[in-house]
Amino acid sequence: MQIDFENYSISPIQEKDAWRLCNFMVSNADRFADFFPGTLRENLNPTLSELFVAKKVKEFHAKEEFLFTVKENTDRTIIGLVYVKELKKVEGQGELAYCIGYEYAGKGLMTKLVDKIVRWSFNKANLNTLQIIVHHTNIASKKVAEKNKFIWQKIVPKVHQMPNGEFVDMELYELYRKS
């Protein structure tokens, strides 16, 4: 499965993505340190990335978590990631988490990517509710949620641990599949 749009593509993580993923995470380490610390920590070198990718491929096939890479089609460079995670199959609920590299930020790409993944999540993964959890300082991510018609629900207290150990409040947005 691959979703193409403009000069980009979204596809499930693959074993061959390990080196590119390592390059992506390391070159954007400052950008991802606060809100993607686990993914960053697990991709700091090619060996770690190979282990991470193997685990994520297995989880994708088992339908436990879905990790998609976003690639620039000309040279196949990874420019972003989109997770569909925290799956609650009985309730039909999942959470979206996403990140994009420095040079692609602010161009509206993530809004389009989330739209594509929302459609996939509702139509292929058979989810009924999607959530986005974002820190109040991440204005760009809040705009992505709002432009994709996610509705602000509430502040979730002390739900995310920062790299310094501090737990911070996050904002919860939700989108429901139309009947």
Side-chain angles (χ1 to χ4, degrees):
M1 179 216 86
Q2 180 170 301
I3 302 169
D4 291 306
F5 69 100
E6 298 173 12
N7 192 36
Y8 307 97
S9 60
I10 307 167
S11 57
I13 190 83
Q14 300 171 34
E15 301 277 350
K16 64 183 180 180
D17 291 329
W19 281 78
R20 289 181 180 134
L21 181 58
C22 179
N23 288 340
F24 170 69
M25 294 305 295
V26 170
S27 65
N28 289 280
D30 291 345
R31 185 172 176 79
F32 302 148
D34 287 342
F35 297 107
F36 279 84
T39 303
L40 178 59
R41 187 174 46 255
E42 293 184 67
N43 288 281
L44 289 175
N45 65 54
T47 302
L48 288 173
S49 285
E50 287 174 1
L51 295 169
F52 175 83
V53 169
K55 177 177 72 171
K56 294 304 175 185
V57 167
K58 185 184 281 186
E59 289 174 350
F60 199 104
H61 290 300
K63 299 181 180 178
E64 297 169 347
E65 178 176 284
F66 303 106
L67 175 56
F68 295 89
T69 59
V70 181
K71 294 178 183 163
E72 197 274 328
N73 286 342
T74 305
D75 62 10
R76 306 303 295 154
T77 300
I78 293 177
I79 66 160
L81 298 174
V82 182
Y83 282 90
V84 182
K85 61 182 199 160
E86 303 297 331
L87 298 173
K88 296 179 183 167
K89 294 177 182 168
V90 173
E91 296 92 351
Q93 178 181 303
E95 177 190 335
L96 296 185
Y98 42 84
C99 58
I100 196 160
Y102 284 113
E103 71 180 276
Y104 296 92
K107 297 180 179 184
L109 285 174
M110 193 51 71
T111 298
K112 294 173 186 173
L113 296 168
V114 167
D115 175 64
K116 304 284 186 196
I117 294 299
V118 163
R119 293 174 195 220
W120 180 89
S121 297
F122 288 156
N123 297 326
K124 303 292 184 191
N126 209 28
L127 296 177
N128 298 313
T129 305
L130 288 171
Q131 298 180 323
I132 293 175
I133 299 173
V134 61
H135 193 259
H136 71 90
T137 60
N138 192 341
I139 304 303
S141 190
K142 290 168 67 168
K143 285 182 182 178
V144 167
E146 292 164 356
K147 286 180 179 179
N148 278 287
K149 299 184 174 52
F150 280 74
I151 305 297
W152 186 92
Q153 300 295 314
K154 63 183 178 180
I155 293 175
V156 183
K158 311 292 184 211
V159 71
H160 178 74
Q161 187 174 13
M162 300 297 280
N164 67 5
E166 175 189 7
F167 282 88
V168 295
D169 298 347
M170 301 289 275
E171 296 187 36
L172 172 65
Y173 289 79
E174 290 186 332
L175 180 68
Y176 307 99
R177 179 178 18 194
K178 296 177 183 156
S179 307

